[in-house]
Amino acid sequence: DNDTVYAALGRPMVRFVLDGGVSTIFAYGQTGSGKTYTMTAIEMRTAYDLFALQQPQHFDEHGQSLLKIFVSCFELLGNEASDLLNNHSPVQILEDTFGQVNIKDALEFEVNHPEELQSLIQRASEFRKTSSTFKNDTSSRSHAVFQIRVINTAIPAAENGRLFLIDLAGSERASDALYHDKSRLKETQAINKSLMCLKDCIRNRVKATKEPSKHLHIPYRQSKLTHLLKDAFELESFRLCKSVVIACISPSAVDHSHTVNTLR
């Protein structure tokens, strides 16, 4: 169940972020396989643990937290990004001359209680782009990205902790898109292209860890989604990073090819 999944995968990532690391959690799978259901549960539990898991070193002598927590949320379709907390205003994902990837024009909120963060999560979810498809009546047509940034005010020079919670749009086969109109087909192509890039980046990043002497190209700049996660994919990144991919699969035998593809 969601509690078990979160305890095994989510809670350790939250602890890592509170100590200044970069954590990423994906839900990957075909449309209608339960990605949004799973990620929403993880997001809600994360909102609580960001405050509950703070340790004694995170508080001053008066019992006030030394950590400041900020959240932003946007959706990605192809190379276009829009703010889910600011009326879909355009957001830019840019890399500066120092190699840092920045999210420009995204509205960011400071939160001081779990309920504040949960309210923002709910608000953003209501504005996410969905459409009816052959496989799913409420198919997500974009990648939803929650970025949670943790600043340790006791160590101003320290890097911010960052947590990316990403509910990916579902992958679709050509047969799933038979009844799509022109605009829906265009969305499907953009979704599948970014998912293919993500898959290539994950595979090559894992191979690079197993075979450090072998040169492998990780094409994270080919997609805004993977470019956003440069620290996780860049082999020479100085940041401490951890990533989790949750494979969401359908129990239907009709979807066995999707299941095999996801598990690969």
Side-chain angles (χ1 to χ4, degrees):
D1 61 9
N2 282 327
D3 285 330
T4 302
V5 171
Y6 179 75
L9 303 177
R11 186 163 290 129
M13 303 293 264
V14 173
R15 289 194 176 100
F16 189 62
V17 169
L18 291 174
D19 288 331
V22 179
S23 295
T24 306
I25 303 177
F26 296 102
Y28 182 93
Q30 74 178 100
T31 184
S33 60
K35 298 182 300 301
T36 299
Y37 174 80
T38 300
M39 287 307 300
T40 299
I42 288 175
E43 289 159 4
M44 290 300 183
R45 288 159 176 77
T46 295
Y48 176 79
D49 272 356
L50 281 167
F51 298 91
L53 295 179
Q54 293 186 27
Q55 299 299 304
Q57 66 268 24
H58 297 141
F59 295 88
D60 63 20
E61 65 272 18
H62 303 295
Q64 297 297 312
S65 177
L66 296 167
L67 303 180
K68 289 186 176 293
I69 298 173
F70 296 85
V71 62
S72 57
C73 182
F74 50 94
E75 64 178 356
L76 280 165
L77 179 57
N79 287 323
E80 302 295 325
S82 61
D83 196 335
L84 289 174
L85 294 174
N86 190 23
N87 299 315
H88 286 284
S89 62
V91 172
Q92 297 185 68
I93 298 169
L94 304 170
E95 186 172 351
D96 63 24
T97 54
F98 300 101
Q100 298 292 313
V101 176
N102 300 296
I103 303 166
K104 186 180 178 183
D105 301 325
L107 205 58
E108 192 173 51
F109 294 84
E110 182 177 1
V111 291
N112 297 296
H113 304 282
E115 293 78 13
E116 288 182 71
L117 182 47
Q118 289 173 338
S119 177
L120 288 170
I121 290 168
Q122 183 63 38
R123 176 178 155 192
S125 298
E126 292 172 355
F127 285 97
R128 190 176 178 192
K129 183 177 176 59
T130 62
S131 297
S132 176
T133 67
F134 179 66
K135 299 289 289 186
N136 186 2
D137 288 339
T138 55
S139 175
S140 299
R141 309 307 295 170
S142 64
H143 307 310
V145 181
F146 276 96
Q147 179 194 232
I148 296 169
R149 194 165 59 91
V150 180
I151 300 175
N152 189 336
T153 59
I155 314 174
E159 292 285 349
N160 298 338
R162 280 191 174 191
L163 174 59
F164 293 99
L165 300 173
I166 304 176
D167 179 12
L168 296 170
S171 59
E172 293 184 353
R173 297 172 299 186
S175 59
D176 298 332
L178 286 176
Y179 304 100
H180 287 358
D181 58 23
K182 186 176 181 180
S183 63
R184 202 70 66 243
L185 279 171
K186 187 176 180 180
E187 288 174 356
T188 298
Q189 291 167 356
I191 290 167
N192 286 344
K193 183 178 179 180
S194 65
L195 290 175
M196 181 65 70
C197 181
L198 175 63
K199 182 169 64 175
D200 289 342
C201 288
I202 291 173
R203 282 179 174 172
N204 285 0
R205 186 65 181 86
V206 172
K207 286 180 181 178
T209 302
K210 293 180 178 179
E211 305 173 56
S213 61
K214 187 175 180 180
H215 175 72
L216 287 167
H217 174 59
I218 302 175
Y220 62 82
R221 286 191 174 89
Q222 291 183 6
S223 163
K224 287 295 184 183
L225 174 65
T226 48
H227 199 179
L228 173 69
L229 304 173
K230 176 185 175 182
D231 284 328
F233 293 122
E234 176 62 70
L235 294 175
E236 298 178 356
S237 174
F238 64 91
R239 299 299 306 273
L240 294 174
C241 302
K242 291 183 179 181
S243 300
V244 167
V245 180
I246 301 173
C248 296
I249 58 176
S250 167
S252 173
V254 175
D255 296 316
H256 71 279
S257 61
H258 266 306
T259 298
V260 171
N261 183 58
T262 296
L263 295 177
R264 281 176 177 167

